[in-house]
Amino acid sequence: MKIQLYLSGEVQAHFSISPQDLQSDAKTPLSSDWRSLWRCDHLISTDDGLEHLFIFTNAVTHFSLIMVDRASDFQSMLGSFQQHFALALHEHGQDFENQQIEIDCQLLTDTPGPMNLRMQLIADLSIECLLANDANIDITEEWVNNYESLSYPTSASDAMRKRITPDSNILPFRRAK
């Protein structure tokens, strides 16, 4: 599986990623695998500018992972993201043997419209939770991934679990008499 990753303008600027390194999603076939399409946004930085928090959100389930950048090293952050993603898949019911996530990411631009509003909501909720919990990333991830509202009645964690272990409501085949 290849990860296709939308980058916000702030992420591109922070890591000095050239527009030539990004592919337009209008010209790039997007993967049909729900696990492969993600968006990365900058959340918040410390006052001294030494630590930066970024949020990776899955386009299908809206499951989010928060990564810390201390060295402005995009490849290291991608490696951390993929390790955390593999662990999250395992925690939601997928065996490690069934996980094939390539470290090579395809970087995309031209953010899809419907995802923008949801991403802004997730980012705002994350910042609010980080500030309320002394910047505890684990608490924030758990809270954001279990958040439900009238607009989004299924939590991101439940949505990911359903993708990994779909309901088996298939009726058994019965022979006609």
Side-chain angles (χ1 to χ4, degrees):
M1 179 183 75
K2 181 174 238 174
I3 298 291
Q4 293 179 305
L5 182 64
Y6 284 98
L7 300 179
S8 71
E10 284 186 63
V11 174
Q12 293 172 46
H14 176 79
F15 290 107
S16 302
I17 296 173
S18 168
Q20 290 79 17
D21 293 335
L22 304 174
Q23 298 175 9
S24 169
D25 65 352
K27 298 176 183 175
T28 304
L30 299 179
S31 175
S32 61
D33 187 341
W34 67 270
R35 297 171 296 177
S36 64
L37 191 59
W38 292 78
R39 179 175 163 83
C40 179
D41 282 294
H42 176 262
L43 278 180
I44 195 167
S45 298
T46 56
D47 291 338
D48 60 11
L50 297 177
E51 290 185 342
H52 311 274
L53 294 181
F54 293 87
I55 188 165
F56 288 76
T57 301
N58 182 268
V60 176
T61 65
H62 303 295
F63 189 84
S64 298
L65 297 167
I66 299 173
M67 300 289 112
V68 179
D69 172 54
R70 293 182 179 97
S72 293
D73 183 4
F74 187 65
Q75 292 303 319
S76 292
M77 192 170 74
L78 283 179
S80 294
F81 157 71
Q82 291 170 349
Q83 289 173 353
H84 282 83
F85 181 39
L87 183 59
L89 287 172
H90 179 69
E91 288 173 351
H92 285 80
Q94 185 169 348
D95 293 332
F96 277 121
E97 296 83 39
N98 294 335
Q99 297 180 32
Q100 294 185 8
I101 304 170
E102 294 181 14
I103 290 179
D104 182 33
C105 288
Q106 187 176 29
L107 303 179
L108 301 175
T109 188
D110 299 337
T111 305
M115 197 172 173
N116 284 340
L117 181 60
R118 180 70 172 154
M119 280 301 305
Q120 188 60 49
L121 172 68
I122 292 170
D124 290 347
L125 289 171
S126 299
I127 292 169
E128 183 181 312
C129 190
L130 283 164
L131 296 174
N133 291 295
D134 294 328
N136 187 314
I137 293 171
D138 294 332
I139 289 173
T140 301
E141 280 182 353
E142 184 176 347
W143 190 78
V144 167
N145 287 322
N146 288 300
Y147 176 80
E148 292 181 27
S149 68
L150 292 175
S151 302
Y152 302 100
T154 303
S155 73
S157 189
D158 286 344
M160 185 159 84
R161 191 169 284 108
K162 285 179 185 175
R163 291 282 174 165
I164 292 172
T165 55
D167 291 337
S168 55
N169 293 335
I170 300 171
L171 298 174
F173 178 76
R174 294 184 188 172
R175 287 190 176 176
K177 293 183 179 182

